Amino acid sequence: MTTNPTAHTIRLGANRTGLELRMFTREKEAVFFTFLLPIVLLALFSVVFGDSFAAGGDEAGVSAARYFLPAMVASGVILTSFQSTALSVAMERDDGLLKRLRSTPMPPSSFFLGKVGLVVVTSATQTLVLLAVARLAFGVPLPQDAEHWLTFAWVLLLGVAGGTVLGIAFSSVASARSAGAVVIGPVLLLQFISGVYFPYSQIPTWLQQVAAVFPLKWVAQGMRSVFLPDDFASLESAGAWEHGRTAVVLLLWFIGGLVVCLRTFRWFKRGTT
Amino acid sequence: MTKAIVIEGLSKRYGDKRAVDGLDLVIGEGECFALLGPNGAGKTTTVEILEGFRQRDAGDVRVLGEDPGVVSNPRGRRGRASRAEWLDRIGIVLQGSGGLDLLTPREALSSTALAYSRPRPVEEVIAAVGLEEKADQRIAGLSGGQRRRLDVALGIIGRPELLFLDEPTTGFDPKARRDFWGLIASLRHDGTTILLTTHYLDEAEHLADRVGVVAAGRLLALDTPENLGGRAGQDATVTWEEGGRRHSFVTARPTRAVADLTARLATADGEVPELTVTRPSLEDTYLSLIAPHVVVGDDVEGVKGEGMQRDDLQVTAGRPSGGSTRHTEPGRATNGVTR
């Protein structure tokens, strides 16, 4: 072992990241449903709704691609961080991979660093591809000033960090057999009520209030504040972008998720200790 | 001999069921020890306590000088560094693990090797388990036997002083088992202490310096495979054919019996018709040891494939007598096993 345990942990974590990335890219279903889906949907929505947006309506003034870009960035965040992590950890616990890792001297932190590394690389790549497609294929104007990009950076970071720890925490309630339904169902539902697939303003108030409890709504709202014109703030339920509240909610979810992870994480499936 | 594993009064219960019930055992450094027993005997529970995966209820356990219950507990006083140092000296082959389908054996081994302080070279381990041709193919495409050999490869990549093998050859074909035994024998030759659990009596007989038979969480017998249950000193059964009928009798002096028979019955070529001399096989001894403890359908540790069915069928069919169908040459009739 290297003399410095922290360096050793990080070196193994980097190695785990490489391994996780290889496994991720080799699983074609995962690549499609967590990585490509938001990109495909952005293209689809732009083509389908392109005309109605051009003709003018509630969201007049922006193209369909521009309108859906923040939603798809937010959707990508929850898919690559929460859904992908919850599914993979649940599977790995069930098929004994976690137990085998636990039987080696690898520090547990290296395993989690590997997961974080995977999520960081996939989320960043996915977001970059989304922005590139929006800009180059659909001519969506991107922000020109540092302030918008700073907002983009912290919303993305908090969203991905929270999604990852919550995904690891949530993996404990799913078995490999139930993971598909237990994870994907709620994620889909949350996307609908959080204003990812249709405008948040069209969702009944009581459902808006439910959505506001969860982090996805705030990631989507934060992203809208980055990519939509400033006067769109009036369409939000609060009539403003609420950056302060967004930061607080996302931070609380991250801390809560981390605490639950640390307290409940299991290396073995139930009944096998 | 230095002690690799010391178990004193080990107990573990699940609800009303006593999985391990006051087990005592010492395994020396460099020894290959086989733990035999029916399903639900407490083998896996015992091994998982030794590996630090389960907490015991009572008793004292030392593995390479450490208490696994303390060293593997993240909240224990020894802290995590000590756990890593302890596991650095141990190889664990679990009863079956997956999750590596999308990787190649070389990728899985290279990554695992990084966790250890003085790993074996990846190439060397791949060659040792005979996976050279599959080294760069997806693990999903490996056969059951090849996957198990990969499990062992992952267990020995860290150059362990002590290797746990939990039912390593369940589901192997005979050829794969022979190859596997060769691998274990070479590890033993290198001085690795090995604790093996198995359903296969011939496997224990072939590999182990000593065997322990457990049932209902207790150690029923502990000896070398040759002497288990005192079978080396047990009476032999001599059978032969005379007047168209099969005869047999049990004697402490088979050589003399054969001499008498030869004098009386030998045909023109000097042979006694259908002569056999047998002593109880390890399997006979094992089955008679566990017979009082085996309850059909009592299966705490779950169904584990053909080994279990084979054992249970024979137990439920009644205790085999002296292996009367076994034919051995009179001159070298011993335990019915060729060494």
Side-chain angles (χ1 to χ4, degrees):
Chain A
M1 255 171 260
T2 42
T3 42
N4 183 342
T6 313
H8 181 67
T9 303
I10 291 172
R11 198 162 60 96
L12 290 186
N15 175 267
R16 289 287 317 165
T17 299
L19 221 54
E20 295 272 8
L21 276 168
R22 257 175 277 181
M23 291 195 275
F24 180 83
T25 50
R26 286 172 192 177
E27 188 141 49
K28 296 187 180 55
E29 297 87 345
V31 171
F32 183 78
F33 283 106
T34 65
F35 188 81
L36 289 177
L37 192 62
I39 299 162
V40 171
L41 284 181
L42 178 70
L44 195 68
F45 288 160
S46 306
V47 174
V48 173
F49 299 115
D51 287 349
S52 61
F53 273 77
D58 276 356
E59 334 295 348
V62 298
S63 68
R66 185 176 185 184
Y67 185 79
F68 280 110
L69 176 62
M72 290 306 120
V73 170
S75 171
V77 167
I78 193 173
L79 291 176
T80 51
S81 64
F82 179 82
Q83 177 167 308
S84 159
T85 309
L87 286 177
S88 70
V89 175
M91 300 280 212
E92 289 165 359
R93 180 180 295 115
D94 250 34
D95 59 26
L97 182 79
L98 296 190
K99 186 171 182 179
R100 204 180 55 69
L101 288 175
R102 190 75 178 141
S103 76
T104 74
M106 182 192 78
S109 333
S110 298
F111 170 75
F112 296 111
L113 280 179
K115 288 286 174 205
V116 169
L118 170 71
V119 171
V120 166
V121 173
T122 50
S123 304
T125 314
Q126 183 184 52
T127 308
L128 280 176
V129 174
L130 267 173
L131 296 185
V133 168
R135 181 77 196 88
L136 301 176
F138 301 103
V140 174
L142 297 181
Q144 301 294 320
D145 56 312
E147 195 191 329
H148 278 88
W149 285 115
L150 187 69
T151 307
F152 170 77
W154 70 253
V155 173
L156 187 67
L157 190 72
L158 277 179
V160 167
T164 308
V165 294
L166 289 167
I168 295 173
F170 198 73
S171 73
S172 294
V173 304
S175 69
R177 216 177 317 151
S178 69
V182 172
V183 177
I184 296 173
V187 167
L188 195 63
L189 213 64
L190 202 57
Q191 291 186 81
F192 272 106
I193 66 171
S194 297
V196 166
Y197 293 135
F198 34 71
Y200 189 64
S201 53
Q202 293 178 7
I203 294 162
T205 314
W206 66 271
L207 260 184
Q208 284 185 355
Q209 283 162 353
V210 172
V213 173
F214 297 99
L216 181 59
K217 181 254 176 187
W218 299 96
V219 175
Q221 187 170 316
M223 288 299 168
R224 284 197 291 273
S225 82
V226 173
F227 295 106
L228 295 183
D230 288 341
D231 57 359
F232 271 60
S234 60
L235 293 174
E236 297 295 333
S237 47
W241 294 126
E242 301 181 285
H243 280 162
R245 180 168 293 191
T246 303
V248 169
V249 173
L250 292 181
L251 206 58
L252 284 177
W253 272 103
F254 171 70
I255 294 168
L258 198 61
V259 170
V260 173
C261 261
L262 293 173
R263 295 186 71 99
T264 66
F265 189 80
R266 291 181 293 117
W267 295 89
F268 323 109
K269 65 177 161 178
R270 219 164 294 196
T272 61
T273 298
Chain B
M1 197 158 47
T2 327
K3 296 158 185 170
I5 296 176
V6 180
I7 304 172
E8 284 168 6
L10 178 66
S11 291
K12 173 77 180 177
R13 50 167 66 229
Y14 303 115
D16 288 341
K17 163 97 185 164
R18 289 181 188 184
V20 183
D21 191 8
L23 193 77
D24 298 303
L25 185 62
V26 176
I27 297 174
E29 226 164 63
E31 187 177 8
C32 181
F33 188 92
L35 211 49
L36 300 174
N39 281 307
K43 297 189 301 292
T44 297
T45 299
T46 302
V47 170
E48 293 206 331
I49 289 170
L50 298 177
E51 293 165 345
F53 283 132
R54 287 176 201 261
Q55 293 293 321
R56 60 185 185 267
D57 293 338
D60 198 29
V61 176
R62 288 285 179 279
V63 175
L64 298 181
E66 300 283 348
D67 181 339
V70 173
V71 80
S72 65
N73 186 347
R75 291 178 192 86
R77 275 181 213 137
R78 307 296 298 266
R80 278 178 195 168
S82 175
R83 176 182 185 276
E85 281 161 18
W86 181 68
L87 285 171
D88 192 41
R89 304 164 61 197
I90 295 174
I92 296 177
V93 177
L94 299 163
Q95 239 181 54
S97 59
L100 296 171
D101 279 6
L102 295 163
L103 298 174
T104 68
R106 193 190 306 281
E107 287 168 343
L109 284 164
S110 305
S111 173
T112 308
L114 283 180
Y116 293 90
S117 62
R118 39 184 192 103
R120 287 190 164 96
V122 171
E123 285 308 316
E124 186 188 308
V125 172
I126 287 173
V129 299
L131 284 178
E132 293 98 328
E133 286 174 19
K134 298 283 179 181
D136 294 307
Q137 296 181 22
R138 297 275 175 87
I139 292 168
L142 266 53
S143 73
Q146 288 167 337
R147 276 182 196 231
R148 207 65 187 123
R149 277 185 275 156
L150 175 64
D151 284 340
V152 175
L154 290 164
I156 64 174
I157 187 82
R159 208 186 294 275
E161 295 163 43
L162 169 64
L163 180 63
F164 290 101
L165 290 169
D166 203 355
E167 297 184 9
T169 63
T170 300
F172 276 32
D173 66 47
K175 164 81 167 71
R177 286 176 74 212
R178 286 282 163 175
D179 292 349
F180 189 83
W181 292 355
L183 169 63
I184 302 306
S186 73
L187 287 173
R188 203 181 124 200
H189 185 74
D190 295 344
T192 312
T193 308
I194 297 169
L195 174 55
L196 165 85
T197 72
T198 183
H199 282 299
Y200 299 113
L201 282 296
D202 53 345
E203 186 159 288
E205 190 150 30
H206 200 92
L207 293 177
D209 298 308
R210 286 191 304 155
V211 298
V213 176
V214 287
R218 263 173 296 192
L219 195 63
L220 302 179
L222 175 68
D223 215 323
T224 61
E226 293 77 16
N227 294 334
L228 190 77
R231 71 185 173 112
Q234 279 181 12
D235 291 347
T237 304
V238 179
T239 71
W240 70 97
E241 202 172 283
E242 188 178 350
R245 286 182 52 210
R246 201 153 182 82
H247 297 263
S248 75
F249 76 98
V250 177
T251 173
R253 305 179 67 185
T255 310
R256 170 135 178 218
V258 170
D260 290 348
L261 283 170
T262 312
R264 196 158 61 84
L265 294 173
T267 51
D269 60 358
E271 291 295 312
V272 175
E274 302 294 318
L275 177 71
T276 69
V277 179
T278 54
R279 287 205 164 92
S281 70
L282 181 60
E283 186 155 291
D284 298 331
T285 311
Y286 167 76
L287 289 172
S288 56
L289 277 168
I290 66 163
H293 301 276
V294 173
V295 182
V296 177
D298 181 14
D299 189 11
V300 164
E301 289 172 357
V303 176
K304 284 174 209 126
E306 64 207 63
M308 167 254 166
Q309 288 161 1
R310 178 169 155 269
D311 292 352
D312 278 7
L313 277 176
Q314 298 214 355
V315 172
T316 49
R319 283 161 54 174
S321 51
S324 59
T325 53
R326 210 179 300 266
H327 290 253
T328 35
E329 291 174 42
R332 46 183 294 273
T334 48
N335 296 335
V337 169
T338 315
R339 275 264 159 191

